[in-house]
Amino acid sequence: MPKKMVTILGALTVLWILFAASQAFKLDISPQDKTIAHIGDYLSLTCNTTGCESPSFSWRTQIDSPLHGKPRTEGSKSVLIMDAVSFDNEHSYLCTATCGSEKRERGIQVDVYSFPKDPEVQLSGHLEVGKPVMVKCLVPDVYPSDRLEVELFKGDHLLTTQMFLEAMEKKSLVTKSLEVTFTPSTEDIGKDLVCRARLYTDSETKERETVKKLQVYTSPRNTVISVYPSRRLQEGDTVRMTCSSEGLPAPEIFWSKKLDNGNQQPLSGNATLTLVAMRMEDSGIYVCEGVNLIGREKAEAELIVQEKPFTVDISPGPWVSAKIGDLVILKCVVDGCDSPTFSWRTQTDSSPNGEVRSEGAQSVLIIQYASFEDEHTYLVAVTCAGRKLEKRIHVEVYSFPKDPEIEMSGPLVHGRPVTVNCTVPDVYPFNHLEIELLKGETTLMNKRFGEEMSMKSLETKSLETTFIPTTEDTGKDLVCWAKLHSGELESEPKQRQSTQTLYVNAAPREITISVSPSPVVEEGSPVNLTCSSDGFPAPKILWSRQLNNGEMQPLSEDTVLTLMSAKMEDSGIYVCEGMSQLGTSKKSVELTIQVSPKDIQLTAFPSESVKEGDTVIISCTCGNVPETWIILKKKAKTGDMVLKSIDGAYTILKAQLQDAGVYECESKTEVGSQLRSLTLDVKGRENNKDYFSPELLALYCASSLIIPAIGMIIYFARKANMKGSYSLVEAQKSKV
Ligand SMILES: *[C@@H]1O[C@H](CO)[C@@H](O)[C@H](O)[C@H]1NC(C)=O
Ligand SMILES: *[C@@H]1O[C@H](CO)[C@@H](O)[C@H](O)[C@H]1NC(C)=O
Ligand SMILES: *[C@@H]1O[C@H](CO)[C@@H](O)[C@H](O)[C@H]1NC(C)=O
Ligand SMILES: *[C@@H]1O[C@H](CO)[C@@H](O)[C@H](O)[C@H]1NC(C)=O
């Protein structure tokens, strides 16, 4: 520290001491004048002095009662400690300090109060809509109670308020309360109930409040029970019952069952009550109770558990149709009974022929070979725990072993009545038999054999009808349809049927012959003769040729008779015959083969050179064609003279000179002609004549000069004709 600073500090100390010494003796108290303290709290009053080295203190109350506090003096200060504050501390305290001869005094008023807890809100009961309730607000351990104000609010609404002004008899802690009654409504749900207490003291106002949420309740109501599947049950069933109840708070559900003695047997606290495997003893009234804080409500449901009936099933069914000789098993099965007893009998109260086997819940009646005697109504009685059920099975036997047989009185012939007989053999029961005969879609006859049966036996039944078949029936089916109906109307009848396709025979009637290309043809052409015939079955065809002697020569059984290359001899009458068992029909056609003449022979007999007066026969014959026109002519410059010939022969009895010349024969048919000529030489006297030499012609022909040759041929030929020599030209012409 610097020397100068030390000096300054020392000076200040001296100054302070001087000042203190000059101060007057003074006393202070705190808190000043007045204080308020809560009962039970800690309170201290402090007295301090200034201006005195070592003062002495004393504490007292104004009325000189005990201090109820502990004074503690330390130097210039004295503290009075009150721990804890009580009613006894409510005084005016005086603090006295003495310094030498000087004396100072200070007073302080100490007030006490008590307001230790928040108000307590009490309700007379649960808040239930519509039901008045009393609310009480308690303010405990208050002092001074005449300074207390209490207010009760419901939400913002002031229910009541009170100032507790009554004078107190003595100092004590009291509990003050404020009550009000109101009726809650549903609007009150969620509102606050507020109790506010104020304690007014001289210096300040103490406030405490309690807030309570309004809990509004409703008593259980609309309590209902729903039952699934039903209130009526059978043994072994399961039932589920659900109970619902409305209320605030949500009611709890309690299930119970009413006992016979009037008590209730608690069952469950679950809204859903499930009862399984119900027994008849479980029948009764079930009670559901909805319970909450403020109430309870009941609902009841009556359950009826019925005895489960046992059932009896029969198989194959109530109506059994069994073929004679078949194995028949009638079965009876019981459900819902552990050990039933069975009894089989027939409706006529005889024991069945078959064997009965019963085991557990089923029983069978076995009929090995069904026969007429087994045709009965069987009754099976089942007894189970005193209960009895009876079922019936009707067994009918039948026989219907074969398809119907169709028989016809003869072959079907167009237009000829025929009798059809349809037979159904070994039928039982025939009075359920129906036979129907159909031709195509048309019913010819139908019969139900409904007659009474005098005894049980197999019978053969037949149905007969007559009809006239026509060729249109061919291809249609003749059906015999047998139906064996059952005694049980709903069931389908047993059916058998036989079918025959109809073929209706018809005698051949119309024979038609066609000749291709034509009935008149040239030799060498092909010819087809076609024969067709109607009739069913298709008639057999026979082609034959009528011979000159009237006999018939069979040729072919084919419908077409073919001549590859017709010859003249093929001309003639051809007959086609259609034949079947039912008859014969025939037709003929004439075939003409035309031939052009060939091989004409023109001869002069005895010679072509005769003497005057000789007899000459000029004869013309045609080799190939017997019937032809033969024209014999004598050529002359004035014109040809046709000679009267007999069978191609012309006789000159006494040859004259003028008979010499060219004779010509023409053979002619529809398809051609041929010419021949000869020259007759009649010698009587000497004659000079041109003579045509065939050798000369040959020479010409041999030459290449054909055209001039032909010219020459024509020339010579003309000349030759005159002289009756061979003519090549004419021969060629005849072929044209
Ligand atoms: C004593 O009293 C005076 C006034 O009276 C005050 O200023 C001072 O702080 C007090 N001293 C103590 C130690 O309390
Ligand atoms: C009530 O029953 C339901 C359904 O049967 C089940 O899930 C639930 O646990 C049960 N509650 C009680 C309390 O038994
Ligand atoms: C039909 O045929 C059956 C069996 O061949 C025969 O018994 C019956 O007499 C025939 N009916 C007539 C009417 O011919
Ligand atoms: C004759 O019939 C045969 C076979 O049917 C045929 O090939 C031929 O052309 C027919 N001939 C004539 C001339 O119709």
Side-chain angles (χ1 to χ4, degrees), residues 68 75 77 94 101 109 122 192 221 265 274 297 321 332 386 479 484 492 543 621 709 724:
H68 294 288
K77 255 205 281 196
L94 277 173
S101 58
Q109 172 67 38
Q122 288 180 348
D192 288 335
R221 63 201 156 97
Q265 175 196 4
T274 304
E297 194 188 49
S321 190
C332 175
V479 180
L484 187 63
E492 280 287 299
W543 274 109
T621 58

Side-chain angles (χ1 to χ4, degrees), residues 407 421-423 460 462 464:
E407 252 186 295
N421 184 1
C422 177
T423 305
T460 294
S462 59
E464 194 188 73

